[in-house]
Amino acid sequence: MSESTAGTVIFAAGTLMPVSSPQIQDGAVLVRDGRIEAFGPLTDVGRENPGVEIRFFPNYTIIPGAVNAHAHLGFRRKDAPEGGTFSGWLSRLIERLPEKETWTAEAARDSAREAIEAGTTYMAESSPYGECLPQLAESGMAGTVYAEFFPHEIGTSEEAVEFIVGKARELREGLPERVNASVSVHSPYTVDPESSRLAARRTREMGWRLAIHLSESPEEVEFVRDGTGGLADIFGSNEWGGVGVSPVRYAQSIELLAPETIAAHLATGVSEEDLEVLAQTGVAAAHCPRSNDFLGCGVSPVPGMIERGIRVGMGTDGLWSSPSMNLFEETLFAVKLHGMSGATGIELATLGGARALGIEAETGTIEAGKWADLAMVEVVPWGADPERDVLEAAAGGEVAATVASGNLIYNRLGA
Ligand SMILES: [Zn+2]
């Protein structure tokens, strides 16, 4: 499916938006062995590299590929449970877990394809025991699958953590170069404090990243603070809820918050004091506003996070809580929600996600030395906010080609 450009090629377009530097009219990217060797005006890059094939698309804009900082691949759109409340949605999801097994792999393939066709080149995916790793690995995208574990299905906290760490080690074997596996502590209401703490310690010891869901819903806030509400009912919980603090404070107390951790959502019950905790611990955030909207989960205080220097990336979540796997569409929603500029949006969708995941040296901008992860958007920016023009086009299905590690993994350009 992917078209190799293993040799050397110049991708050029009417507009080049590197994100880390000003846009270039008739800009070009020289790609060699999957990486960006140089970029600049096409006249310069062409002259300095005679004989290299040039693929020039005058009516397009080249931007860095989208970095999806929080996604689930194993859901399909057609039978999403109804939204409205988080606990109601979650209980319907749990009811359908046995049936879901029959179509998870197919859903994961389709979701990955949809992400690629919307310009995604890197994905942080979370799935039970890493079940969607095969589909991510074969998709052509780079990414990490975070294996979720549910200690009550395994044994003691020690046994559960050893099991999931061993599982992630196994998953890491024989993967394509930029595909990886790690561990996710699913949430404060599904993983007990001791297992959470151990998992955070073990993954840090090994230099792995950790994914968590945190402060997603009003029910989670109630569960952690009071030990009551919809989630306590579902999980019979129970033994560890009701600690009298916010989910952020609770996560801090069990050592989950650290620069290696990416916390998804942070949508409900995040106070000013919590923002200080997030900033001090250096944890990164994945913002999933459409999922939050669908599940009645409130609005994440993203501008406050950015102000405090908290690393923020964007995440689509999965198709049972979100209308699409298009990260640029997710980002346009965030831009409207928070009144942000197009430039902030494009940065959140690319470099922001890369920083949140600690991979900014590898992807997220168009710079020499990084992997050639690019999206070609059919748009000639014309307005006062050119990044917004590009974001709207990419959100609206105008990504015409996606390049990951220098390979054209999607191409409807026909050239
Ligand atoms: Zn999620």
Side-chain angles (χ1 to χ4, degrees):
M1 196 173 288
S2 90
E3 189 183 332
S4 176
T5 54
T8 307
V9 64
I10 293 169
F11 291 111
T15 307
L16 182 71
M17 281 187 176
V19 171
S20 49
S21 55
Q23 70 177 67
I24 300 168
Q25 295 311 308
D26 291 340
V29 185
L30 172 67
V31 177
R32 194 187 304 275
D33 297 330
R35 292 196 183 251
I36 298 166
E37 188 164 288
F39 72 97
L42 174 58
T43 46
D44 297 352
V45 176
R47 191 181 53 242
E48 287 157 16
N49 298 280
V52 176
E53 180 198 357
I54 297 173
R55 294 180 168 200
F56 181 40
F57 306 101
N59 297 321
Y60 290 76
T61 298
I62 297 178
I63 59 176
V67 176
N68 192 333
H70 180 77
H72 307 283
L73 286 176
F75 298 103
R76 53 186 187 182
R77 179 183 292 107
K78 68 177 183 187
D79 49 8
E82 154 200 336
T85 70
F86 184 77
S87 54
W89 173 82
L90 191 63
S91 49
R92 282 186 288 277
L93 187 154
I94 290 167
E95 270 165 32
R96 293 170 58 186
L97 286 179
E99 152 221 345
K100 187 180 166 299
E101 273 176 27
T102 60
W103 48 258
T104 294
E106 184 196 331
R109 248 188 311 275
D110 291 349
S111 293
R113 195 67 210 150
E114 186 173 312
I116 287 169
E117 292 182 1
T120 310
T121 52
Y122 190 99
M123 179 176 283
E125 201 273 345
S126 294
S127 46
Y129 305 100
E131 68 185 6
C132 295
L133 181 61
Q135 290 78 34
L136 181 79
E138 74 188 20
S139 73
M141 278 187 286
T144 296
V145 167
Y146 292 88
E148 299 168 337
F149 70 112
F150 302 94
H152 66 275
E153 295 175 351
I154 303 166
T156 65
S157 294
E158 286 78 11
E159 287 164 354
V161 171
E162 281 322 301
F163 177 82
I164 198 63
V165 166
K167 177 80 190 169
R169 271 214 188 93
E170 229 172 78
L171 292 172
R172 285 177 163 231
E173 283 168 21
L175 291 174
E177 186 171 5
R178 298 179 64 203
V179 178
N180 213 336
S182 190
V183 170
S184 166
V185 168
H186 176 265
S187 73
Y189 50 88
T190 49
V191 182
D192 64 274
E194 195 46 30
S195 301
S196 301
R197 191 194 313 267
L198 279 176
R201 284 184 186 165
R202 291 285 283 125
T203 49
R204 264 201 291 284
E205 270 167 28
M206 287 178 297
W208 295 1
R209 292 199 171 259
L210 182 74
I212 62 175
H213 291 94
L214 186 63
S215 216
E216 180 173 2
S217 65
E219 293 97 321
E220 178 185 333
V221 173
E222 185 187 343
F223 167 73
V224 172
R225 194 184 52 217
D226 308 323
T228 54
L231 292 174
D233 294 345
I234 297 172
F235 295 100
S237 347
N238 63 65
E239 305 140 49
W240 71 85
V243 292
V245 296
S246 69
V248 167
R249 278 288 187 195
Y250 166 72
Q252 182 191 26
S253 75
I254 55 170
E255 302 171 39
L256 283 177
L257 304 186
E260 300 81 9
T261 302
I262 177 113
H265 299 297
L266 293 164
T268 307
V270 181
S271 66
E272 290 283 312
E273 187 199 319
D274 288 334
L275 286 177
E276 291 303 322
V277 171
L278 296 172
Q280 281 161 18
T281 55
V283 65
H287 182 37
C288 312
R290 293 185 303 171
S291 169
N292 298 154
D293 183 57
F294 180 69
L295 298 177
C297 286
V299 175
S300 180
V302 163
M305 290 182 192
I306 294 172
E307 241 167 61
R308 285 170 175 80
I310 296 165
R311 292 167 297 145
V312 182
M314 297 299 308
T316 56
D317 227 356
L319 290 178
W320 269 9
S321 61
S322 176
S324 78
M325 299 302 290
N326 183 334
L327 193 81
F328 293 115
E329 200 182 355
E330 190 77 44
T331 307
L332 182 62
F333 187 95
V335 160
K336 291 176 181 167
L337 183 65
H338 302 292
M340 298 186 294
S341 68
T344 300
I346 290 281
E347 183 172 329
L348 281 172
T350 57
L351 181 59
R355 281 193 181 130
L357 297 165
I359 52 168
E360 70 273 24
E362 295 294 318
T363 190
T365 63
I366 296 171
E367 286 180 86
K370 291 194 181 186
W371 288 105
D373 292 345
L374 312 168
M376 275 184 222
V377 191
E378 190 171 4
V379 62
V380 178
W382 53 272
D385 185 348
E387 286 88 355
R388 168 98 182 213
D389 297 339
V390 176
L391 192 57
E392 283 185 355
E398 299 299 333
V399 169
T402 305
V403 176
S405 311
N407 297 316
L408 266 164
I409 59 172
Y410 170 59
N411 180 12
R412 66 163 200 238
L413 293 166

